[in-house]
Structures are given as C-alpha cells and as structure tokens.
Amino acid sequence: MYQAPRGTQDILPEDAPYWTYVEDETRRQARLANYGEIRTPTFEETAVFARGVGAATDIVEKEMYSFDDKGGDSMTLRPEGTAGIVRAYLQRSMSGRPQPVKLFTLLNAFRYDRPQKGRFRAFHQIDFEAIGETDPLVDAELVGLQLRLYEALGLRRLSLQLNSIGDARCRPAYVQRLGDYFRQHLDGLCEDCRRRLETNPLRLLDEKRPECQAVLDGAPHSADHLCDPCRGHFEGWLDHLETAGISYTINPRLVRGLDYYTRSVWEVWPPVQGAQSTVGGGGRYDGLAEQLGGKPTPGVGFASGIERIILELKDQGVAVTPQPAPCVYFVSMDERGKRQSFRLAEMLRAAGISADMAFGDRKIGKQLGAADKSGAQWALILGENELANDSITIKDLRGGSEQRTITQRDLLKVLEHGHGSTE
Ligand code: HAM
C-alpha cells in the first residue's frame, strides 16, 4: 500500500474544522485591515528563491524541491510566499497603485527538512505583505494584525520577540564586528558554528546548543550598531507598538533564517517553547525587489504556519465547532423508495436544508443505525405505506420520541417551520 510522503499530512474531515476556523479568521482580519487577497503559483523559477531568499540560507542550500521541467527550465516548489508575491508585484506593475499595496494569501509551501512535531515538508502558511512603504507604522500594523488574529482565534500567553538587524548601509560593519568577536572566542563555539562563521556569522546567533551559549550571550547586539536612519526606524516601530498597547521583548539574538530581511524582524512564540514551535515570524525586506531585478521597493510582512497555529490551539484546549450534522437522513425500503428519497433530498438541499441518505441495499435497521450515527436530527422514512400514499414518516433521532407521518408535499414546510433548523 502507498504511504503519503514523509513529512506530509492528510487533513481528514474531523480535523478540517480547525483549518476553516483559522482560514475564516484570517480572511476576517485581512478585511478589517484592508489587505486584498493574492494567489501566486505553487512553483516559480528557481532563481526567484535563490536570489530572493538567499543562496547561503538553509532553505536554498538544502531544503528546496527543485526540478528541471520538460523545457529544461529549473523550477522550485515555493518554500515560502514572500519572494513570489514580490515577483508578482514587480511583474504586474503594482508600483502604479496606491502604496503600500497590502496583500495576503493562504499558501502551501515545501521544504525538504527533517520532519518532527510542527515541522513538515509540505505545510501551509497564512502570509501578509505590505509593499511600497518604509514607514514603520506599516511594520506596527502588521504586528498588530498578527497578534489580533491569534487573540481572536483564542490563543493566549504568546510572546512577541523582535529586533532590528539594520540594512545594507550599517549591517556589513556590524557583521564584521560580530565575526571578529566570534573569531576571538572560537574555543567556546561548536564545530558547526565555526564553519558557519565563514559564510554567515549572523546565523550563529540562532544557535541553540548549550556549549555555545556563553559566547553567544556576550556577542555585540545589532540594535546597538544601527545607522541613524535604521535607528530612527526601529524607534518609530517600537513607539507605534507602545501606542497600540502591544508588549514586546527585544531579543538581540533574533536574526531569522531568510537573507532578505532588513531592519525589523520579529517572531511570535508560544508559552511552551519546543524546538519547532515559532507560531509565526516576519520582517522588513527593503532590498528584495532589487534582488529580483526590480526598482528599489521597500516591503514588510509576516507568515504563520497553519499547522503550528492548530497545534497551539489544541495544546491550549481551544475548542472548534465541528461541521454541523445533516438536518435529515433518508431511510427507505426498496429501489422505488431510494429513488424517491433522492428526489426529496435534492429538493431539500436546493431549499438550503442539509440532507443525507442511505446508499446500497441495507436493511431498514442498518439504515436507521447509519442515520443515528450521522448525527442527523430527523430520520425521514419511506416505507411501503408511505410510498403507497405519497407520505413520509419523520422520526426524531435526538432524544425526542416524536414520530409522525405527513404528506410528502408538506415536507419542506414542516422542516422549515415545525422541526429542525436549516443547514
Ligand atoms: P519563516 O520563518 O521561514 O518565514 O516561516 C514562517 C512560519 O511558517 C514559521 O514561523 C512557521 O510557523 C511556519 N513554518 C516554516 N517552516 C515550516 C515547516 N517546515 N513546517 C511547518 N511550519 C513551518 C517565512 O516564510 C517568511 N516568508 C515570512 C515573511 C513574510 N517575512 C516577510 N513576509
């Protein structure tokens, strides 16, 4: 028997209500802050991610699902949404619209990573982007939106971690200083860190291994080495967050794993920290459009893993309403009864009343059992007598003992007024 590929999931009907719950609330929050929906392709030219996300990142180095298509062009299943959205912004000349262009999307993404709790190879994100504006008020709006989304979903005790990592003007000097500091403390660093020091010293700050922590704790902070415009931007951002009553922790070791970030970066962490538990993260990417061959265009956004949100909803015991059971369930005697029940079920559905029915050739008792299991409020029975005189028997399946026979003509009226609710 075939198995789903490692690191992928099947979302079954009993779990689907969590998904629609998160998706519906995402759309509601998007509407409340005037973000318009965009949908971009599941795959892009490989260069969009290699140039956008950055050749020296784990994502591009190790995790991309890339393939040559039949025309010989290298394509990649998107490992994230931002690079594709900025590609679309440039290609569709969205700089001609009022700025910033505020967009959101729900996407599937793919990373060839080692699967574990909360980490999948095929996963889903909600993603918000605001492109075309440097004002730190946009950064604050996005953080506010993200936190309000979690709050509205019922998540509590999340913490907002943030930092500023400067831009092309001030970061090189900071990275140099950071590298110098690490080179002076090589003894306190693991093998991996020493290797990464040569390619991307910033990424060391992310290292979780206990043996490296003493050195990392003493490392210089990017926020202390910002140029004046970056410092002004950072202060503006924090100021707006305070105005909105949003509490935050400045985390000097927060750098994020994608190379396009400039200035603002942030993550939202759950109360219980696991290795793969960040609920969502984002930041500013003022150099990304240029990396993709466009005019310099600032941008900022965040993404949040839907699987991670759902794990957290379950951990925190947030109950989600299951899909309602059908209102009625048809039970019938023979072929003629089945045909009649199909006709009536279609008539009820067209009128907005949910209906299911027995299939195959099961005995009446079995059919009534299935009707009960379906959770339907009413069984609608078409037996010999009913078929003979165009009537139908209504039986209450939810505790009541009511059972009565009415004419088929009256069925809709009775269900609409006397019994059951629509849908
Ligand atoms: P990211 O931090 O790579 O950022 O991913 C954002 C979120 O996606 C993570 O916080 C996590 O919830 C979820 N996620 C990432 N990888 C996996 C995985 N393998 N399995 C399950 N969930 C995962 C980005 O993707 C950026 N595009 C965010 C952004 C938007 N920055 C600016 N705009």
Side-chain angles (χ1 to χ4, degrees):
M1 218 168 40
Y2 294 110
Q3 307 280 313
R6 209 162 108 74
T8 70
Q9 294 193 104
D10 299 308
I11 316 297
L12 303 183
E14 54 273 26
D15 238 22
Y18 280 96
W19 289 77
T20 38
Y21 177 63
V22 172
E23 290 160 3
D24 290 351
E25 189 56 42
T26 300
R27 290 179 194 285
R28 197 175 79 91
Q29 292 300 336
R31 219 165 29 245
L32 288 171
N34 196 28
Y35 283 70
E37 183 166 358
I38 184 168
R39 302 185 194 195
T40 63
T42 304
F43 60 89
E44 298 270 353
E45 273 181 64
T46 298
V48 169
F49 304 113
R51 295 195 59 81
V53 175
T57 58
D58 281 353
I59 294 180
V60 172
E61 268 187 356
K62 304 188 271 200
E63 298 174 1
M64 294 211 300
Y65 281 89
S66 300
F67 58 97
D68 288 340
D69 69 13
K70 300 220 186 291
D73 295 317
S74 178
M75 299 289 160
T76 294
L77 298 184
R78 59 186 170 198
E80 57 106 49
T82 312
I85 290 176
V86 172
R87 192 269 309 137
Y89 173 96
L90 296 171
Q91 184 181 349
R92 310 295 169 197
S93 307
M94 286 192 244
S95 61
R97 303 181 183 203
Q99 306 291 298
V101 177
K102 304 206 293 185
L103 303 167
F104 83 101
T105 194
L106 298 160
L107 70 141
N108 54 349
F110 307 87
R111 297 184 192 177
Y112 188 83
D113 202 346
R114 202 163 45 78
Q116 51 180 274
K117 187 176 181 212
R119 194 208 272 159
F120 302 92
R121 289 180 175 172
F123 61 100
H124 302 76
Q125 289 180 335
I126 61 184
D127 187 337
F128 284 77
E129 312 288 354
I131 306 176
E133 179 58 64
T134 51
D135 188 344
L137 185 55
V138 184
D139 312 41
E141 177 181 89
L142 281 156
V143 169
L145 192 162
Q146 186 180 5
L147 294 177
R148 194 165 48 251
L149 167 64
Y150 298 144
E151 170 82 22
L153 288 171
L155 294 179
R156 301 289 177 262
R157 303 186 310 282
L158 302 178
S159 87
L160 169 63
Q161 307 277 317
L162 55 79
N163 194 14
S164 175
I165 56 170
D167 65 5
R169 197 167 356 175
C170 51
R171 193 161 22 172
Y174 167 68
V175 172
Q176 179 70 42
R177 184 187 288 259
L178 191 64
D180 291 346
Y181 166 83
F182 286 138
R183 274 185 283 276
Q184 284 156 19
H185 296 84
L186 282 179
D187 286 351
L189 293 174
C190 70
E191 198 60 39
D192 244 15
C193 280
R194 282 188 229 168
R195 193 178 46 76
R196 263 189 297 172
L197 178 52
E198 299 318 315
T199 51
N200 198 346
L202 265 187
R203 297 287 302 153
L204 266 64
L205 294 173
D206 239 6
E207 177 62 49
K208 304 281 182 317
R209 257 173 273 204
E211 66 261 36
C212 309
Q213 296 310 306
V215 173
L216 296 177
D217 283 344
H221 296 175
S222 57
D224 295 336
H225 297 89
L226 299 174
C227 58
D228 286 343
C230 284
R231 183 165 338 106
H233 190 275
F234 191 34
E235 283 164 5
W237 185 31
L238 299 181
D239 204 45
H240 290 313
L241 292 178
E242 278 153 36
T243 305
I246 294 171
S247 43
Y248 57 82
T249 304
I250 297 181
N251 182 340
R253 288 185 40 190
L254 189 75
V255 289
R256 312 260 307 126
L258 301 96
D259 274 358
Y260 51 59
Y261 289 118
T262 53
R263 297 186 168 175
S264 317
V265 288
W266 73 88
E267 283 184 357
V268 177
W269 292 356
V272 183
Q273 276 284 299
Q276 292 301 322
S277 53
T278 300
V279 182
R284 186 163 271 286
Y285 45 84
D286 293 344
L288 176 54
E290 248 178 310
Q291 279 297 316
L292 296 180
K295 278 198 314 229
T297 312
V300 54
F302 73 86
S304 190
I306 300 182
E307 289 82 356
R308 300 260 175 105
I309 295 175
I310 291 174
L311 272 173
E312 195 54 31
L313 286 169
K314 290 181 177 175
D315 275 0
Q316 294 199 16
V318 177
V320 167
T321 317
Q323 174 169 309
C327 177
V328 303
Y329 193 106
F330 284 91
V331 165
S332 56
M333 279 286 285
D334 52 15
E335 254 332 285
R336 233 177 93 224
K338 245 171 38 181
R339 219 168 314 137
Q340 189 65 341
S341 66
F342 181 43
R343 196 182 65 76
L344 291 169
E346 289 290 274
M347 181 272 293
L348 292 181
R349 290 164 178 167
I353 293 178
S354 54
D356 200 355
M357 59 194 156
F359 298 95
D361 294 318
R362 292 176 185 79
K363 298 233 155 54
I364 283 273
K366 275 255 158 59
Q367 293 186 35
L368 277 169
D372 190 36
K373 270 214 187 102
S374 77
Q377 174 72 44
W378 310 101
L380 299 181
I381 305 164
L382 288 163
E384 225 162 310
N385 288 342
E386 284 88 348
L387 286 173
N389 55 22
D390 290 336
S391 63
I392 187 161
T393 296
I394 303 190
K395 178 177 160 57
D396 189 346
L397 291 170
R398 302 289 133 221
S401 56
E402 187 184 352
Q403 173 159 338
R404 63 188 176 120
T405 302
I406 59 169
T407 65
Q408 289 177 17
R409 209 169 355 97
D410 287 341
L411 179 59
L412 180 58
K413 205 166 55 196
V414 168
L415 287 172
E416 274 177 342
H417 302 296
H419 304 288
S421 57
T422 49
E423 292 186 46

